[in-house]
Amino acid sequence: MSDDPKPPPFGLRRNLTSYGDPAFSLFLRKAFIKAAGFSDDALDRSIVGITNTFSDFNPCHGNVPRLIEAVKRGVMLAGGLPMEFPTISIHESFASPTSMFLRNLMAMDTEEMIRAQPMDAVVLIGGCDKTVPAQLMAAASVDVPAIQLITGPMLVGHHKGEMLGACTDCRRLWGQHRAGGMDQGEVEVVSGRLAPTQGTCMVMGTASTMGCLVEALGIALPGTGTIPATHADRIRAAEASGREAVSVAVRGTRPSELLTEAAFRNAMVVLQAIGGSTNGLVHLSAIARRRGLRIDLEEFDKIGREVPVLVDLKPSGTKYMEHFHWAGGMPRLLHELRDHLNLDAVTVTGATIRAVADGAEDVPGQTVIRSLNDPLKATGAMAVLRGNLAPLGAVIKHSAASPRLLQHTGRAVVFESVEDLVTRIDDPELDVTAEDVLVLRNAGPKGAPGMPEAGYLPIPKKLAQAGVTDMVRISDARMSGTAFGTIVLHIAPESATGGPLGLVRSGDMIRLDVPARRLELLVDEHELERRAQEWTPPCHLTEESRGYRGLYLKSVLQADEGCDFDFC
Ligand code: FES
């Protein structure tokens, strides 16, 4: 008898269905899969699962069928068996009430489908904002060897000689339309030019941010996070990801070996340097939490004081993702940031971040990726605020804010909910001036629910028509990474759970001091205690809720913990 330990099951032998007889389980599984025409040779290979997140409702994933075809080619060239399987797909504009409400459902779906089915590695194909975070949360939990493949950004649009991009320019031009500067006919024309190709939003919104972070985390192939969705290189990246997935399956490299403390710190550095989406911070917190790690908001803020914005992309700058890609993409940025990075962190190919940075392309004359000596902004993209209005923190993307408003004291104009905002913001009788602070509450993870991207409160129409383009706005909501303005987000704890944001009254004075990292409600402590006695939670949190909504309302955590479920 041999003393050799039994080799671990691989391929089809993994994760057998329980019938009380493993040999029968394998026999039955083979019998069924042979109905699809597979040979014994194919069924004896390592299996690489491929998530299929194509949906007619998700144009950001319109290229997924071609990417799957290329991933399969790569897997087969490397001697493996590719098996695609469907999971939930979420598009920002086709998810009600919000995509954030569904992110955790997609994470659970993806995790359990990877866990339930036999695969030695998985290629996760995602792109639109919440899909990549959901897939990474799943990968971190299930810990099966994984490679993230991004669908890639759209190409830019053009209108009247100007370059346009979803969705910074969607908001800017809609603002012009609201202010009377663009008529209905032109706004219809523009709607056909803002998103001219398949792929994800091509400014530095959440999708682009996550495309960069997956390279910083080392879980995507270097250089693949920024390739435009429509380019041949994107297809080749898919083939290479499939090929690499077979190697990863053989090596057995697990996400837990990549998603380390060092990798998350590198991701925080990159998030500050790219002028990334505030949503990126929430997602990073959720992914880290799945690994038993915590994104320290104070450390993130400290990094932001040391690491300036280097990438000239909207909304902090002027360019788009295709420009970033052709300027050298993430490897070039990692090269510029090397003094701030843990260069020994390992990527999914086995190469270190140092090797990726060393191999960066030098593009003569490019101005999109700046050096530390010539940054786009003097500091990083985001600051973390504290104060009596945000005991557990709040965040502001000050790289996309108006410098004159970063220290500002103003009178609160309070909106009780998103519905209240919609009803009253354009009321000509609304008592509001450009110096006031617009306050939105009950728009957090539980309050709305689903933490909508409503933090970009529109400028009241009468002020917009008078030429006001920015005001201080604060909320427990999120904001699209593509938006701009002096906007404080993710106030925690949120008002719906008794956070102090729920105690603000119109007419109170609020002080924002970004250099001092403070957000204060200038109301006497005793008065706040008195108001707290009178506070009651919104009705939907005291009523019975069933199904996923009930699970969500019961279990979702606050923004500082990534809005994951408490049991995940
Ligand atoms: Fe999908 Fe913007 S809507 S990335």
Side-chain angles (χ1 to χ4, degrees), residues 443-514:
K446 290 184 191 245
M451 208 180 180
E453 289 186 340
Y456 179 77
L457 284 78
I459 303 294
K461 200 167 191 169
K462 65 181 179 184
L463 298 181
Q465 286 171 339
V468 176
T469 55
D470 194 11
M471 294 173 70
V472 174
R473 290 159 268 181
I474 73 169
S475 73
D476 45 15
R478 294 176 302 115
M479 169 176 90
S480 165
T482 63
F484 57 91
T486 311
I487 297 171
V488 177
L489 304 155
H490 309 178
I491 288 178
E494 63 174 304
S495 60
T497 59
L501 187 67
L503 307 182
V504 184
R505 299 207 172 148
S506 286
D508 290 347
M509 297 303 283
I510 291 175
R511 181 163 60 224
L512 170 67
D513 187 344
V514 177

Side-chain angles (χ1 to χ4, degrees), residues 58 60 90-93 127-129 154 166-167 199-201 207-208 482:
N58 194 346
C60 299
I90 308 171
H91 183 275
E92 283 305 288
S93 301
C128 195
D129 291 13
M154 300 174 208
C167 239
T200 56
C201 293
S208 302
T482 63

Side-chain angles (χ1 to χ4, degrees), residues 39-51:
S39 66
D40 283 322
D41 180 20
L43 296 176
D44 212 28
R45 306 293 178 114
S46 287
I47 294 177
V48 173
I50 307 166
T51 61

Side-chain angles (χ1 to χ4, degrees), residues 268 285 288-289 292-297 299 560-561:
M268 285 195 272
S285 299
R289 194 171 171 279
L293 302 170
R294 187 176 173 88
I295 297 294
D296 181 345
L297 294 180
E299 188 186 4
D560 62 316
E561 295 194 87

